[in-house]
Every structure is written in structure tokens, then in C-alpha cells.
Amino acid sequence: MNIADLRKSYEKAELSESASHADPMRQFEQWLQEAIQGEVPEPNAMTLATVGSDLRPSTRIVLVKGFDERGIVWYTNYASRKGQELAGNPFAALQFHWVELERVVRIEGVVEKVSDEESDAYFHSRPLDSRIGAWASPQSEVIDSRAVLVTNAAKFGAKFLLQPPRPPHWGGYRLKPDNWQFWQGRKSRLHDRLRYTLRGDGGWLRERLAP
């Protein structure tokens, strides 16, 4: 098989100005709900892109855990590579790719930590194994073997039993969007692509981009 010959015709839907929301958050909510209802695998999975002090970009998959008019929220280890990069450069980009629906959403903006109260509430809603795992994994650090993680999990499990507190190095981030793009695959590569840009008055400018 020649990878250059792999092609797909996109014909499931369309995205028009008249049928899309003026508020990009509402458009995102609609598409996310349609991805959930369509039983797309892991519809809440998104790519997070950050840039380090060396100006090299890096990406990873994280899970969106909340969104409202304030922005998009996820949780992670503050000491991880992404945490360190966000500490030095608080701008980031997110991308959702719902393959089965032939849709992509791209979001850019500034990132800030959520409040301790929000992080505490979400942390204590997680399964016990996940809460212990937040203590056990020195995320992004080099470890000798998987045994390090297993040993750490056993140690912190014995220490905290059923009530592990939220680690000080773990919590939430919120990206406050100033730029959105919604992409809907179309036939003959004439895809639909709408961009929303935040205006100075707090409203949104919606424009169509060539695909």
C-alpha cells in the first residue's frame, strides 16, 4: 500500500454561516453534543499544543473536563512539560478531531490556572486509583522502570488510604479563547471553514476561510 494513495471523500455534512451560531462557544457545544450522541470514540479528547522557552512546539492529548463562557478546562500535573511551558508562555492551542463526523475544531487563546476550589472539587470526583496516580507519577520525568510507578502507587495508597488530598502539583487550566476555527469536510476538498475572532467589544467576527 502506498500511503500517498490513501484518500477519503468527505460528504457527511456542511457548515454554513446561516446555520452556524454567532457565538463560537455555542457552536462548539452543539458539535460536542453531536459527537457524544454519535458515539464518537473519546469525543472529549483534544490535542493541546504549547511552546517552550526554546520556541519548540509540543503536543499531547488531554481530556476536556468543562467549558463555559469563561473558557475550556482540563486538569494535569503542573510540573509536567506542558505545565512548565505554560508557566513560561501562557498561550496555547487546542484541537478536536471527530473523524467519524468529518469535523475539526481549533481553539487558540491565553491559559490560566483554575481556582483551588475548582481543582479540589474535580480531584475529589475522580476514581480513587486516579487520585493515587496523581501522586504516584512524576509526569514527564525519566524513571528507571514501570516498577517505580507501581511502588509509588502502593506507597501513596498506604499513606492516604481512601482519602488522598489533591497534590499541590496537580490541578486545572482554563484556556480563554480569542480565536476559533470550525472545519467541516466537504466533497472535492472544497471544505467549509469558519473562523471566529474576538473583537475589542467582546463580540465575535465570523469569517469564511478558504480550505
Side-chain angles (χ1 to χ4, degrees):
M1 180 181 293
N2 184 348
I3 193 170
D5 293 332
L6 293 176
R7 290 181 176 84
K8 176 183 178 180
S9 181
Y10 300 95
E11 303 180 14
K12 287 186 178 295
E14 62 181 46
L15 178 63
S16 67
E17 290 84 345
S18 61
S20 60
H21 294 285
D23 183 342
M25 188 64 78
R26 290 189 61 198
Q27 184 65 37
F28 170 71
E29 181 178 17
Q30 176 184 323
W31 273 20
L32 177 59
Q33 289 301 321
E34 290 175 0
I36 294 171
Q37 294 166 5
E39 299 184 346
V40 170
E42 294 201 272
N44 58 332
M46 59 186 183
T47 300
L48 165 64
T50 57
V51 177
S53 59
D54 57 1
L55 302 185
R56 293 176 65 96
S58 61
T59 65
R60 72 286 290 161
I61 303 297
V62 297
L63 302 179
V64 59
K65 291 300 180 179
F67 63 93
D68 55 27
E69 67 281 357
R70 296 173 297 169
I72 311 291
V73 174
W74 69 95
Y75 293 85
T76 190
N77 189 313
Y78 290 145
S80 64
R81 178 178 177 180
K82 55 186 171 295
Q84 294 178 34
E85 291 183 346
L86 286 170
N89 176 19
F91 293 93
L94 306 173
Q95 178 171 289
F96 292 83
H97 186 193
W98 297 309
V99 178
E100 292 78 6
L101 301 180
E102 301 173 353
R103 289 173 173 172
V104 174
V105 179
R106 297 165 55 186
I107 315 167
E108 300 175 12
V110 66
V111 178
E112 62 184 14
K113 290 181 178 179
V114 306
S115 68
D116 288 342
E117 292 76 15
E118 290 176 270
S119 290
D120 287 340
Y122 175 69
F123 182 80
H124 292 296
S125 75
R126 305 177 84 207
L128 177 60
D129 287 351
S130 296
R131 285 178 279 154
I132 293 298
W135 283 95
S137 175
Q139 195 174 108
S140 301
E141 294 184 15
V142 175
I143 57 176
D144 291 334
S145 69
R146 181 174 177 80
V148 173
L149 299 178
V150 175
T151 300
N152 284 350
K155 178 182 70 175
F156 287 111
K159 178 179 180 179
F160 296 126
L161 300 177
L162 299 179
Q163 300 295 330
R166 178 173 64 90
H169 58 263
W170 191 98
Y173 288 103
R174 176 178 287 108
L175 183 141
K176 301 165 62 176
D178 55 31
N179 189 291
W180 296 74
Q181 287 193 33
F182 294 85
W183 181 96
Q184 175 70 62
R186 296 295 300 274
K187 190 175 181 180
S188 302
R189 295 300 187 267
L190 301 179
H191 311 302
D192 289 328
R193 185 179 172 194
L194 297 183
R195 179 178 66 188
Y196 294 73
T197 305
L198 185 64
R199 299 192 307 241
D201 61 3
W204 292 94
L205 172 65
R206 179 176 52 192
E207 300 172 298
R208 176 172 289 267
L209 301 182

